[in-house]
Amino acid sequence: MLEIKNLHVKLEEEDKVILKGVDLTVEAGKVHAIMGPNGSGKSTLAYVLSGRDGYQVTEGSVTLEGEELLEMEPEERAALGLFLAFQYPVEIPGVGNMTFMRTSLNSIRKARGQEEMSSAEFLKVMRAKAKELKIDAEMLKRPVNVGFSGGEKKRNEILQMAMLEPKMCVLDETDSGLDVDAMRLVADGVNALRDAGRGFLVITHYQRLLDHIKPDVVHIMADGRIVKTGGPELALEVETNGYTEILAEAGAAA
Amino acid sequence: MTAKAILGHRAARRAAKLEATAVRLEALQLPNSGQWLRRAREMALARLNHMGLPDRRDEYWKFTDPNTLLQPEVLPAKILDITDAAMDFVAFDRLKIVFVDGVFDADASDDLSSEGLEIVRLAEAGASDIHWAREFYGTLEAEGQKPVDRPLAALNTVLATDGVVIRVTGKVSRPVSLIYLRRETDAEMILHHLVRVEEGAELTLLENGPGAARLNTVTEAWVADSAALHHVRTQGRDHERRAATHFFAQLGAQSVFKSFTLTANGALSRNESIVWLNGNGGSAHVAGAAMGDGKFHHDDTVFVTHAAPDCESRQVFKKVLRNGAVGVFQGKILVRRAAQLTDGYQISQALLLDETSQFLAKPELEIYADDVKCSHGSTSGEIDADQLFYLRARGVPEEAAQGLLVLAFLAEAVEEIAHEDLAEEIRRKLDGWVSRHN
């Protein structure tokens, strides 16, 4: 599904190298988690995948279902089926949540040569999916993310993901700022989308989200590289021992 | 320079300005009109001679050059999209009053008699010695000359060739729609309207159309106790138009005045709104959305006076500028000593779509009462990069995303329109502009 090869990335504005050769393959139907201390490059990876400005790829490649991702505009990546759930969802005063969602969905459908979804059909689908995430109708009417609590913003991200039904979902610290109940809602939303045709890359600092979204593979990232890969037990090891020991061990091995 | 020298310099400048004005106005022919109207024009001419015509060195004209509004010849302006601009509000059931090149056109207009409404042409009211308009023509304009000179409004009172006087005595649901059409490329239009909304009455007043190559309009409106006046205006897509408009409104107790102007293009527009809240509990909202691409200079100049307690006022002005377009906002809230519990709000913002465009703002508060709530803000900025990326990451192509953000930026001003169907009409027009200029 998603293939990242030897990815090197530096900041465009300054001479700071963030990613120093990331190799990662996410297969369809699998959930991969990336854990790592702050500043390891996790969020940069998410932004580079989605096509945000400000980063320069100096080496390496990324493909989604065989298509070169790095040359594409952000909207082309979305049309291809990539979805980034933002760590900090952006507030857009003046644009209603419904309008936003419908514009997004229909832009993607148009780019794929599909017919636009009718207003009536859209409303029906949106309401049903919102209900599953306990997002009330009032929230849908409000401007995008404006006045939303942290938990509401993250649920709104998952709602967008559910509406767009992407092939490859990248979740950037979706657990940050969530209380236990909100985390369960978000995790349920993600789990409902798990299927054989879809890949997930779940970026998180803490293990607790992975209690609810069980990963198939866990990677530890440090200083711009994947330093260790393992099964779900690796996440538990982080929880118990912290990063220091794992990093020391990985450093010794390298 | 010493203080004395500065004073001497000012006196000399004023003398030169008044002399230039006298020369300009010397050969002026007042339009034929009945006795009282002629007297009112002469009084306005005396005011004008006393203050002088504006020039760039006047503080109030610091950001906008009045020259092309004043030069003797009208600069011809291509006639563009007449049909398009004339189509605004076309879906609304309204009472149409049509002016072509600044002259009332009875054939194109609807029957002016309507329940709860009394409408006559200014000339007709002027010819009748007992008409109510006699007590009012030019009076708000005269009052509006303090504390700031508004010479173009006085000039209008002197020269207005046409206009309507409207008296509203009931809740009139059908809007009165002033439509300005243009046939000549060098048409000049000087219109003066009076609107009296009597106690408890309500009126929606619409204005649209390309109007003229150069136009000067003055509206004097009295909104009595518990009355409401809603004003929605569109200034169309005729790129070379030069316009100076003044809307004077005096509000009674518990009354409502809401005015919204959409301006799309136009070489020069100066829209002045002068509002007095004279009765307890009045509410005045003045708002505008302006979009300029290229040769565009748009100036919103607003002066709201709180003279009574417990009133609320809002000024909400948004401008989208690109390709060298210039936006100006001069907005003032004056709170007199008696106006306790005033709630005043003022925001002016520009979205600059490139580095060649500019926004000049002069927000002012002057407060003499001690128990008031007043806030003001003025910003200019670009499209927010995070918002743009968020939309694009959700699949919305860059241009469409930018268009959506432009509309979002303007939304706060459009929300000031009370009638949702009119607001929707304005949104539709904004949408059209954004997709044409993307």
Side-chain angles (χ1 to χ4, degrees):
Chain A
M1 172 69 57
L2 181 73
E3 229 173 308
I4 303 171
K5 281 185 188 156
N6 192 29
L7 187 64
H8 288 71
V9 172
K10 68 182 268 294
L11 291 182
E12 219 161 56
E13 298 288 309
E14 39 189 305
D15 253 345
K16 190 173 175 193
V17 179
I18 312 271
L19 300 183
K20 301 171 179 171
V22 175
D23 286 288
L24 181 67
T25 301
V26 180
E27 310 81 6
K30 299 288 184 198
V31 174
H32 283 232
I34 296 186
M35 302 182 72
N38 289 329
S40 58
K42 306 186 301 286
S43 285
T44 295
L45 179 62
Y47 283 141
V48 170
L49 290 177
S50 62
R52 193 191 178 97
D53 283 343
Y55 303 99
Q56 193 188 335
V57 175
T58 51
E59 220 184 314
S61 71
V62 179
T63 58
L64 181 61
E65 289 200 314
E67 302 228 31
E68 271 299 337
L69 213 54
L70 296 177
E71 294 304 311
M72 291 184 192
E73 299 294 341
E75 56 267 31
E76 293 171 328
R77 301 177 196 210
L80 192 62
L82 182 80
F83 183 92
L84 169 66
F86 283 58
Q87 182 179 2
Y88 304 107
V90 179
E91 297 184 5
I92 313 183
V95 177
N97 220 1
M98 281 288 203
T99 309
F100 168 67
M101 207 51 253
R102 201 152 79 97
T103 308
S104 161
L105 182 69
N106 281 333
S107 297
I108 286 175
R109 290 175 76 102
K110 204 172 148 194
R112 291 176 183 164
Q114 297 165 331
E115 262 190 50
E116 294 193 357
M117 196 183 264
S118 73
S119 302
E121 172 78 4
F122 171 80
L123 265 176
K124 210 176 91 187
V125 177
M126 179 99 165
R127 283 200 183 123
K129 301 211 173 191
K131 203 173 163 196
E132 284 169 24
L133 285 158
K134 297 213 164 75
I135 291 175
D136 61 36
E138 200 46 48
M139 221 171 111
L140 297 179
K141 281 188 207 150
R142 297 211 308 251
V144 181
N145 293 325
V146 177
F148 287 26
S149 69
E152 286 174 333
K153 283 182 183 172
K154 295 299 172 76
R155 269 187 282 154
N156 201 29
E157 292 292 290
I158 304 305
L159 173 62
Q160 292 166 30
M161 192 162 90
M163 288 299 294
L164 298 179
E165 300 182 327
K167 291 178 201 153
M168 181 67 218
C169 307
V170 180
L171 279 68
D172 185 11
E173 308 223 5
T174 296
D175 51 337
S176 67
L178 293 189
D179 60 28
V180 180
D181 291 336
M183 180 139 51
R184 186 160 297 134
L185 270 175
V186 164
D188 289 348
V190 172
N191 289 330
L193 286 170
R194 288 178 78 156
D195 76 32
R198 188 169 286 137
F200 285 87
L201 188 58
V202 180
I203 295 169
T204 179
H205 186 80
Y206 301 103
Q207 181 265 342
R208 55 178 198 165
L209 179 66
L210 304 180
D211 282 345
H212 302 286
I213 305 172
K214 297 262 186 270
D216 299 296
V217 183
V218 176
H219 309 273
I220 306 293
M221 193 165 185
D223 193 27
R225 288 184 194 89
I226 306 280
V227 294
K228 192 167 182 183
T229 296
E233 73 287 349
L234 193 51
L236 293 168
E237 203 183 318
V238 170
E239 179 72 2
T240 324
N241 301 331
Y243 285 111
T244 322
E245 201 168 304
I246 297 172
L247 295 187
E249 184 192 315
Chain B
M1 258 196 281
T2 63
K4 204 173 164 187
I6 291 171
L7 285 177
H9 177 71
R10 282 200 189 145
R13 195 172 95 61
R14 181 172 156 78
K17 182 178 172 177
L18 293 188
E19 198 184 319
T21 300
V23 170
R24 267 295 308 282
L25 299 181
E26 200 177 27
L28 204 69
Q29 295 284 324
L30 295 192
N32 275 332
S33 35
Q35 241 184 6
W36 67 260
L37 187 52
R38 186 172 178 89
R39 241 184 348 262
R41 291 183 194 280
E42 283 165 356
M43 282 163 66
L45 182 58
R47 283 198 289 280
L48 183 57
N49 269 311
H50 184 71
M51 68 182 94
L53 288 166
D55 64 43
R56 196 64 195 268
R57 283 180 295 180
D58 293 331
E59 178 68 18
Y60 219 44
W61 290 89
K62 197 162 101 188
F63 300 135
T64 298
D65 186 351
N67 188 38
T68 56
L69 290 167
L70 285 168
Q71 67 190 106
E73 304 79 28
V74 181
L75 296 171
K78 267 198 306 248
I79 295 178
L80 268 182
D81 292 314
I82 273 208
T83 42
D84 180 84
M87 290 296 279
D88 291 349
F89 310 123
V90 81
F92 290 82
D93 178 25
R94 57 197 172 138
L95 193 156
K96 294 194 289 293
I97 301 177
V98 179
F99 295 85
V100 178
D101 290 341
V103 180
F104 175 72
D105 183 334
D107 294 337
S109 302
D110 290 331
D111 179 5
L112 299 188
S113 59
S114 183
E115 191 152 343
L117 266 179
E118 178 194 312
I119 307 174
V120 295
R121 271 178 92 174
L122 175 63
E124 207 176 306
S128 155
D129 227 23
I130 52 159
H131 199 274
W132 61 263
R134 175 183 176 152
E135 305 302 320
F136 295 98
Y137 181 82
T139 56
L140 281 191
E141 174 263 296
E143 203 173 328
Q145 301 297 348
K146 281 187 191 122
V148 192
D149 289 348
R150 305 179 196 279
L152 292 182
L155 183 69
N156 177 294
T157 304
V158 177
L159 290 180
T161 46
D162 219 326
V164 282
V165 303
I166 302 175
R167 192 162 157 261
V168 192
T169 50
K171 288 193 192 319
V172 179
S173 59
R174 193 170 166 222
V176 168
S177 182
L178 303 174
I179 301 165
Y180 308 127
L181 300 182
R182 179 148 71 95
R183 296 229 174 90
E184 302 296 333
T185 55
D186 59 352
E188 183 159 41
M189 172 174 116
I190 309 174
L191 298 181
H192 195 119
H193 308 302
L194 304 188
V195 181
R196 286 191 64 83
V197 188
E198 304 292 0
E199 191 172 339
E202 270 184 42
L203 177 73
T204 298
L205 182 69
L206 308 176
E207 289 185 272
N208 72 289
R214 176 166 64 185
L215 58 101
N216 178 330
T217 66
V218 164
T219 305
E220 298 179 276
W222 291 262
V223 187
D225 293 354
S226 306
L229 174 60
H230 295 275
H231 174 233
V232 178
R233 169 168 63 177
T234 62
Q235 296 175 313
R237 292 165 54 197
D238 44 336
H239 298 253
E240 295 158 34
R241 174 203 66 236
R242 288 169 168 77
T245 76
H246 291 80
F247 204 110
F248 299 90
Q250 193 182 77
L251 276 66
Q254 310 298 333
S255 68
V256 172
F257 170 59
K258 287 195 168 197
S259 175
F260 173 89
T261 301
L262 168 72
T263 309
N265 300 333
L268 175 61
S269 316
R270 161 97 160 199
N271 293 330
E272 296 198 26
S273 301
I274 304 93
V275 182
W276 297 269
L277 289 148
N278 285 356
N280 293 22
S283 170
H285 293 202
V286 189
M291 296 161 303
D293 188 347
K295 192 179 166 197
F296 174 88
H297 184 108
H298 181 85
D299 177 338
D300 285 302
T301 291
V302 184
F303 200 116
V304 174
T305 304
H306 283 258
D310 244 340
C311 295
E312 176 234 21
S313 74
R314 287 172 67 85
Q315 302 173 28
V316 181
F317 288 87
K318 302 265 186 160
K319 295 176 172 62
V320 178
L321 306 168
R322 78 192 309 170
N323 290 326
V326 178
V328 174
F329 175 77
Q330 304 190 103
K332 180 154 182 170
I333 307 175
L334 169 63
V335 182
R336 294 202 192 284
R337 197 183 302 270
Q340 298 297 355
L341 301 173
T342 284
D343 183 353
Y345 174 75
Q346 182 196 84
I347 183 98
S348 64
Q349 294 181 309
L351 186 61
L352 306 177
L353 296 183
D354 56 41
E355 283 168 8
T356 63
S357 304
Q358 53 171 329
F359 177 53
L360 306 158
K362 190 177 162 196
E364 284 181 284
L365 295 178
E366 193 177 327
I367 301 173
Y368 297 99
D370 49 23
D371 188 8
V372 303
K373 193 173 90 187
C374 276
S375 62
H376 68 106
S378 181
T379 64
S380 63
E382 316 163 342
I383 292 268
D384 184 292
D386 287 336
Q387 293 176 351
L388 190 66
F389 174 66
Y390 192 60
L391 285 163
R392 295 180 69 191
R394 292 293 175 262
V396 184
E398 187 171 11
E399 283 191 358
Q402 180 159 322
L404 207 55
L405 292 175
V406 167
L407 293 175
F409 168 77
L410 295 168
E412 188 189 359
V414 182
E415 276 161 23
E416 293 297 326
I417 301 172
H419 297 297
E420 189 45 40
D421 45 356
L422 284 171
E424 204 41 57
E425 168 93 346
I426 295 297
R427 284 190 199 102
R428 192 183 57 73
K429 279 195 67 83
L430 291 171
D431 207 17
W433 190 90
V434 165
S435 41
R436 277 195 305 278
H437 289 261
N438 234 326

